[in-house]
Amino acid sequence: MTDDTTRSETEVLIMEATYAALRRHGYADLSVAQIADEFKKSKSLLYYHYDSKDDLIAAFLSFAADQFMADIEAVTAAEEPVATVRTLVDHLLTVESREMRDGQRMIIELRGQAVSEPRFRERFTRVDDRLRERIRSALAAGVERGVFDAEIDPEDTAGMLYAALTGAMVQQHTADGDPTEAVRRMIHRRLDRLVVD
Amino acid sequence: MTDDTTRSETEVLIMEATYAALRRHGYADLSVAQIADEFKKSKSLLYYHYDSKDDLIAAFLSFAADQFMADIEAVTAAEEPVATVRTLVDHLLTVESREMRDGQRMIIELRGQAVSEPRFRERFTRVDDRLRERIRSALAAGVERGVFDAEIDPEDTAGMLYAALTGAMVQQHTADGDPTEAVRRMIHRRLDRLVVD
């Protein structure tokens, strides 16, 4: 499957089947047959498009990333630089439903597999780059318009904020001491101070 | 195996075999037989002590955590609060050898599995709590001695710093855009500003 955003109905249904199977079985125990079980059309179509479980998962990661980035663009589209960063932080740290929680857990499990699967790594690289750039460009626009302290380094600050957001999400789903609210408070307080009165 | 730090020679050899097997095969493809292959004593001893692969891995996570925390205590033992935080940051973000790199990758892959394996989650909770507390207590001691700005909230600040360190490590080993140096620079700069002249 290509990574552009025009996907056939069949491709979308295969991605939905992959999501449902991942949610039900997790990555480690997942088989292509289990994904095929969730697929509503002829199973031969699925086997025709994809060679292996990791092939399906890599395509799923691209699919999920495109949906996630479209979400991010939609919620931050009309916003000023400061509001963009705040909205992004809240969007990444909020788990409003069982489905969002399951989705984040799935992504974190797959991220762990990216240490050894180059195709997963490639997908996470792309998402990281896009999110970091979204934060960096908002910070840079804020400096340019005089709303953010000119002393900040937009690139390093974006790297730090995005690392904290990633770490908070990972810790939230893999350990008991959830740091989400502490990180949220710290970033908003930091932004308060960066805004020039 | 108990989680206290007195371990028999056999237990230590089993943990070393688990480490070697994890390094060679990764988690997803690992079998107890492959761990037994790395074990220098009678394989029945290994099967006597542990019931399953995840049983061995959970014990290994406790073993690795104890070694890691002993390392942290050793490098920060004689240091003042500010130096303790700086040393911790550098210690967590530095990958000096192939072995350290493989060790960190292993831990990140296992952390991904902690979304669904409660025993792994329990081990990561303990490590997170200990590291966050190490940072919090250094910050609190610094405030008490008047070297850190009294305005900081040691608990939230520790949560933020530790989330950024975790996120940087995860991103470093699962994607191409390594944010380690940006995070290191940002934290050291932040500490420069928190230190009262």
Side-chain angles (χ1 to χ4, degrees):
Chain A
M1 193 169 96
T2 56
D3 284 341
D4 59 41
T5 47
T6 49
R7 294 182 170 95
S8 71
E9 193 206 333
T10 301
E11 283 170 336
V12 171
L13 287 174
I14 295 175
M15 293 302 96
E16 286 172 359
T18 306
Y19 172 76
L22 267 171
R23 200 174 169 193
R24 197 186 300 270
H25 307 285
Y27 172 80
D29 299 326
L30 191 67
S31 66
V32 177
Q34 286 168 333
I35 298 173
D37 282 344
E38 304 282 347
F39 184 49
K40 274 134 196 102
K41 289 184 164 188
S42 157
K43 298 196 190 320
S44 61
L45 262 177
L46 187 145
Y47 290 109
Y48 174 78
H49 278 84
Y50 299 94
D51 290 330
S52 68
K53 163 180 155 178
D54 283 350
D55 202 20
L56 277 155
I57 306 275
F60 170 74
L61 284 172
S62 297
F63 178 77
D66 287 340
Q67 288 209 320
F68 183 73
M69 288 308 300
D71 261 17
I72 295 278
E73 293 306 326
V75 293
T76 60
E79 299 196 308
E80 291 300 300
V82 185
T84 293
V85 182
R86 291 192 194 277
T87 302
L88 244 162
V89 168
D90 291 336
H91 194 76
L92 286 168
L93 294 182
T94 303
V95 180
E96 275 167 347
S97 63
R98 178 71 185 266
E99 186 165 4
M100 281 179 74
R101 177 179 158 272
D102 289 353
Q104 286 193 6
R105 285 162 54 102
M106 192 183 288
I107 294 301
I108 286 161
E109 186 180 4
L110 294 176
R111 185 141 203 162
Q113 295 300 313
V115 300
S116 53
E117 172 49 60
R119 284 177 300 174
F120 296 2
R121 182 184 178 96
E122 187 201 315
R123 268 62 175 193
F124 282 106
T125 299
R126 210 175 313 158
V127 174
D128 283 0
D129 287 351
R130 287 161 82 182
L131 282 170
R132 221 182 270 119
E133 172 55 21
R134 194 79 191 79
I135 301 172
R136 190 207 62 76
S137 64
L139 292 170
V143 170
E144 201 164 299
R145 295 185 207 171
V147 289
F148 276 134
D149 186 341
E151 291 293 298
I152 65 164
D153 178 328
E155 185 142 1
D156 277 8
T157 306
M160 173 76 183
L161 292 185
Y162 184 57
L165 293 168
T166 301
M169 279 188 285
V170 168
Q171 288 169 9
Q172 179 187 17
H173 294 288
T174 58
D176 292 342
D178 186 350
T180 306
E181 288 312 312
V183 167
R184 192 199 301 269
R185 276 194 299 274
M186 285 296 293
I187 296 181
H188 284 301
R189 258 186 248 151
R190 188 96 196 85
L191 289 170
D192 292 343
R193 267 185 242 111
L194 286 178
V195 172
V196 179
D197 292 323
Chain B
M1 193 169 98
T2 55
D3 284 342
D4 58 41
T5 47
T6 49
R7 293 182 171 94
S8 71
E9 193 206 334
T10 300
E11 283 169 337
V12 171
L13 287 174
I14 294 175
M15 293 301 97
E16 287 172 356
T18 306
Y19 172 75
L22 267 172
R23 200 174 169 192
R24 198 187 299 271
H25 306 286
Y27 172 80
D29 299 326
L30 191 67
S31 66
V32 178
Q34 286 167 333
I35 298 172
D37 283 343
E38 304 281 346
F39 185 49
K40 275 139 196 95
K41 290 183 165 186
S42 157
K43 300 197 188 319
S44 62
L45 262 177
L46 187 144
Y47 290 108
Y48 174 78
H49 278 85
Y50 298 93
D51 291 330
S52 68
K53 163 180 154 178
D54 283 350
D55 202 21
L56 277 155
I57 305 276
F60 170 73
L61 283 172
S62 297
F63 177 78
D66 288 340
Q67 288 209 322
F68 183 72
M69 288 308 299
D71 261 19
I72 295 279
E73 292 306 324
V75 293
T76 59
E79 299 196 306
E80 290 300 301
V82 186
T84 293
V85 182
R86 291 192 193 277
T87 302
L88 245 162
V89 168
D90 291 337
H91 194 76
L92 286 169
L93 293 181
T94 303
V95 180
E96 275 168 347
S97 63
R98 177 70 187 266
E99 186 166 4
M100 282 179 75
R101 179 179 156 272
D102 288 352
Q104 286 194 6
R105 284 162 54 102
M106 193 183 290
I107 294 301
I108 286 160
E109 186 180 5
L110 295 175
R111 185 141 203 162
Q113 295 300 313
V115 299
S116 53
E117 172 49 60
R119 284 177 300 174
F120 296 2
R121 183 185 178 93
E122 187 201 315
R123 267 61 175 194
F124 282 106
T125 300
R126 209 175 313 158
V127 174
D128 283 0
D129 287 349
R130 287 161 82 182
L131 282 171
R132 222 182 268 118
E133 172 54 22
R134 193 79 191 79
I135 301 173
R136 191 208 61 76
S137 65
L139 292 170
V143 170
E144 201 164 300
R145 295 184 206 173
V147 290
F148 275 133
D149 186 341
E151 292 293 299
I152 67 165
D153 178 328
E155 185 140 4
D156 277 7
T157 307
M160 172 76 183
L161 292 185
Y162 184 56
L165 293 169
T166 300
M169 279 187 285
V170 168
Q171 289 170 7
Q172 179 187 18
H173 294 288
T174 58
D176 292 343
D178 184 350
T180 307
E181 287 313 311
V183 168
R184 190 199 303 268
R185 277 194 299 272
M186 285 296 293
I187 297 181
H188 284 301
R189 257 186 247 152
R190 187 95 195 87
L191 289 170
D192 292 343
R193 267 186 242 110
L194 286 178
V195 172
V196 179
D197 293 323

